[in-house]
C-alpha cells in the first residue's frame, strides 16, 4: 500500500513562495507517476501538476510558470515548489502516486491528510 504524507504548507503573503514535500511509503514508487492536487473551500479537488516516472511534467494552466513539480526517487519523495503565490492558490494540497491512462492522470493509491496552504492578499 502506497501512503503519501504531505508537509510544508503554511500561511504566506501574496507573491511569496512555499515548497511542499511528500514522502511516499510503501511499494515501488519509482515506477509510478505522481501528482499534486488541491482543494479550495467549497470547490472540487483539482489536479495542479503531474510528473511521470521518467520526469516529464505537466501543469494546470492556473499554475503554469509559477509551480514546479519534481521527484527524488531514491528518497521516495515528491516536491512542489510554488512561487509568486496568489490568494486563489489557497487550499489543501494533496500528493498522490498514480498512472497515466492515455493522457489522463489517475491516482492509484490512498490519499494522505494533505497540507494547508493559505495565501493572504
Amino acid at each position: 500500500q502506497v501512503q503519501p504524507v504531505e508537509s510544508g504548507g503554511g500561511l504566506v503573503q501574496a507573491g511569496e513562495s512555499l515548497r511542499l514535500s511528500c514522502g511516499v511509503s510503501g511499494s515501488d514508487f519509482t515506477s509510478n507517476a505522481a501528482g499534486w492536487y488541491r482543494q479550495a473551500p467549497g470547490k472540487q479537488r483539482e489536479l495542479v501538476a503531474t510528473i511521470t516516472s521518467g520526469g516529464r511534467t505537466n501543469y494546470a494552466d492556473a499554475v503554469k510558470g509559477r509551480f514546479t513539480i519534481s521527484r527524488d526517487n531514491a528518497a521516495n519523495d515528491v516536491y512542489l515548489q510554488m512561487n509568486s503565490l496568489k490568494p486563489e492558490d489557497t487550499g489543501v494540497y494533496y500528493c498522490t502516486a498514480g498512472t497515466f491512462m492515455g493522457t489522463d492522470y489517475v491516482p492509484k493509491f490512498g490519499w494522505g491528510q494533505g497540507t494547508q496552504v493559505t495565501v493572504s492578499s
Side-chain angles (χ1 to χ4, degrees):
Q1 182 69 21
V2 176
Q3 183 65 47
V5 179
E6 303 91 345
S7 62
L11 171 62
V12 297
Q13 292 188 334
E16 294 184 338
S17 300
L18 279 175
R19 187 185 192 225
L20 306 184
S21 298
C22 176
V24 185
S25 64
S27 59
D28 183 15
F29 169 67
T30 59
S31 64
N32 289 287
W36 282 94
Y37 286 80
R38 69 184 179 190
Q39 187 165 21
K43 295 188 177 180
Q44 288 190 329
R45 194 172 292 180
E46 63 173 340
L47 180 64
V48 296
T50 60
I51 186 167
T52 66
S53 57
R56 181 178 296 178
T57 59
N58 195 41
Y59 300 92
D61 288 344
V63 306
K64 202 170 292 184
R66 300 188 296 120
F67 289 13
T68 303
I69 187 172
S70 60
R71 65 190 296 165
D72 181 347
N73 287 336
N76 276 9
D77 287 341
V78 183
Y79 308 99
L80 187 68
Q81 177 66 44
M82 306 186 297
N83 299 329
S84 302
L85 282 161
K86 304 176 181 180
E88 51 263 43
D89 294 318
T90 294
V92 180
Y93 283 70
Y94 303 88
C95 81
T96 61
T99 188
F100 279 91
M101 305 287 285
T103 58
D104 293 331
Y105 175 76
V106 180
K108 286 173 59 178
F109 306 105
W111 293 81
Q113 295 297 310
T115 185
Q116 176 71 45
V117 172
T118 304
V119 185
S120 63
S121 58

